[in-house]
């Protein structure tokens, strides 16, 4: 069901109490995961010093050449995407990938909310390219190949669909109409193919820290709901 701006604002500005709940839950899950780390993950960790790597917000290291599910952390994804700009930063104000992903998770068809929230998860570990470069240049082809490799690894770790479901791709594309209208400067909407903004959605400026908290809380509520449904709790 579409949300109005007041409901979206409430969901984005989670309280400190909600943030503590999520943080405690994530720590518990991390401890459980560490107890299950296999020899392959340990070897991947030990090899970090001899290969190119990305030093992540959590303190974990992500291997560029030998990525492994054990190097993936939802806290790194939430942090990076909350500060990662959409449209190569050519927006009226700081509009982040995490903000976009949150909106997609609220407007996608039921059952695909977690897939929508995490559909741009690779951008926490590698930069994205504007669509023109990505789909219409030679170097874009190699970029997409590596991006798909990373996407598959993260999807396996976080248990989301790979490749992206068409229902998620639909809302990812449709929300472009709202973004062009609300976030871009001096835009000619007539140049946007299939301009069809989501009714009732007006995208507003929200701080990165509020987006980060909301992203993590959204992840928490979707994962716990899924586990309750699956009988894992």
């Amino acid at each position: 069901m579409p949300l109005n701006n007041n409901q979206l604002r409430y969901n984005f500005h989670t309280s400190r109490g909600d943030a503590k709940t999520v943080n405690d839950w994530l720590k518990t899950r991390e401890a459980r995961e560490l107890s299950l780390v296999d020899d392959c993950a340990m070897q991947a960790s030990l090899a970090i010093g001899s290969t190119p790597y990305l030093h992540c917000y959590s303190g974990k290291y992500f291997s560029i050449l030998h990525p492994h599910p054990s190097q993936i952390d939802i806290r790194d994804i939430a942090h990076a995407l909350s500060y990662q700009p959409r449209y190569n930063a050519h927006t009226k104000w700081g509009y982040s990938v995490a903000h976009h992903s949150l909106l997609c998770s609220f407007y996608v068809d039921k059952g695909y909310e977690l897939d929508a929230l995490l559909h741009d998860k690779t951008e926490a570990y590698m930069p994205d390219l504007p669509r023109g470069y990505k789909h219409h240049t030679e170097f874009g082809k190699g970029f997409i190949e590596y991006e798909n490799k990373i996407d598959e690894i993260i999807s396996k770790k976080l248990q989301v669909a790979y490749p992206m479901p068409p229902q998620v791709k639909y809302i990812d594309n449709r929300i472009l109409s709202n973004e062009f209208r609300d976030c871009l400067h001096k835009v000619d909407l007539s140049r946007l193919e299939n301009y069809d903004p989501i009714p009732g959605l007006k995208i507003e400026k929200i701080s990165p820290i509020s987006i980060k908290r909301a992203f993590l809380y959204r992840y928490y509520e979707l994962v716990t709901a899924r586990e309750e449904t699956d009988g894992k709790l």
Side-chain angles (χ1 to χ4, degrees):
M1 177 187 296
L3 302 175
N4 62 41
N5 282 327
N6 286 334
Q7 290 171 310
L8 281 171
R9 196 174 295 112
Y10 173 80
N11 279 283
F12 285 169
H13 294 280
T14 55
S15 70
R16 291 186 180 276
D18 288 337
K20 185 179 186 309
T21 297
V22 174
N23 191 49
D24 291 344
W25 176 76
L26 287 171
K27 285 181 179 178
T28 300
R29 291 181 73 86
E30 182 178 40
R32 188 191 313 159
E33 288 175 3
L34 285 174
S35 69
L36 299 174
V37 170
D38 57 23
D39 289 340
C40 181
M42 188 62 70
Q43 290 303 316
S45 248
L46 292 173
I48 285 289
S50 59
T51 65
Y53 63 85
L54 176 69
H55 181 212
C56 300
Y57 177 77
S58 67
K60 289 186 176 181
Y61 295 96
F62 180 80
S63 173
I64 306 299
L65 301 181
H66 305 289
H68 188 275
S70 65
Q71 300 161 2
I72 306 301
D73 192 312
I74 188 61
R75 292 167 296 187
D76 288 327
I77 294 173
H79 180 82
L81 297 189
S82 295
Y83 289 91
Q84 188 81 14
R86 289 270 290 167
Y87 299 100
N88 224 35
H90 291 287
T91 51
K92 297 176 186 175
W93 31 263
Y95 178 61
S96 69
V97 175
H99 194 161
H100 162 81
S101 299
L102 273 163
L103 290 173
C104 287
S105 80
F106 285 117
Y107 284 94
V108 75
D109 291 346
K110 186 174 176 58
Y112 295 94
E113 296 94 339
L114 188 59
D115 299 315
L117 181 70
L118 296 171
H119 75 276
D120 281 332
K121 53 195 175 295
T122 58
E123 295 180 40
Y125 298 99
M126 60 184 294
D128 194 17
L129 290 176
R131 291 189 180 198
Y133 292 107
K134 195 172 187 178
H135 300 289
H136 301 285
T137 65
E138 282 301 314
F139 71 84
K141 295 177 182 178
F143 182 92
I144 291 173
E145 183 179 343
Y146 183 76
E147 181 183 49
N148 288 341
K149 175 183 177 181
I150 300 301
D151 196 7
E152 186 172 8
I153 290 171
I154 304 174
S155 297
K156 178 181 178 181
K157 169 67 180 285
L158 300 180
Q159 298 179 28
V160 293
Y162 175 84
M164 184 191 302
Q167 293 85 347
V168 176
K169 191 62 183 173
Y170 167 77
I171 203 67
D172 183 36
N173 284 328
R174 178 151 187 212
I175 211 166
L176 291 175
S177 295
N178 296 78
E179 292 175 343
F180 267 60
R181 182 195 66 197
D182 300 337
C183 305
L184 300 190
H185 188 53
K186 296 183 178 180
V187 65
D188 180 2
L189 295 177
S190 66
R191 297 190 63 181
L192 184 63
E193 293 183 18
N194 304 315
Y195 178 68
D196 183 24
I198 297 170
L201 172 60
K202 185 179 188 306
I203 303 173
E204 301 175 345
K205 182 178 180 180
I206 300 175
S207 72
I209 190 63
S210 292
I211 291 293
K212 177 181 173 180
R213 287 174 181 164
F215 188 98
L216 285 171
Y217 189 78
R218 183 71 168 147
Y219 177 78
Y220 161 76
E221 67 177 7
L222 291 173
V223 171
T224 52
R226 180 178 67 183
E227 291 181 343
E228 286 175 354
T229 300
D230 294 344
K232 295 180 180 179
L233 289 182

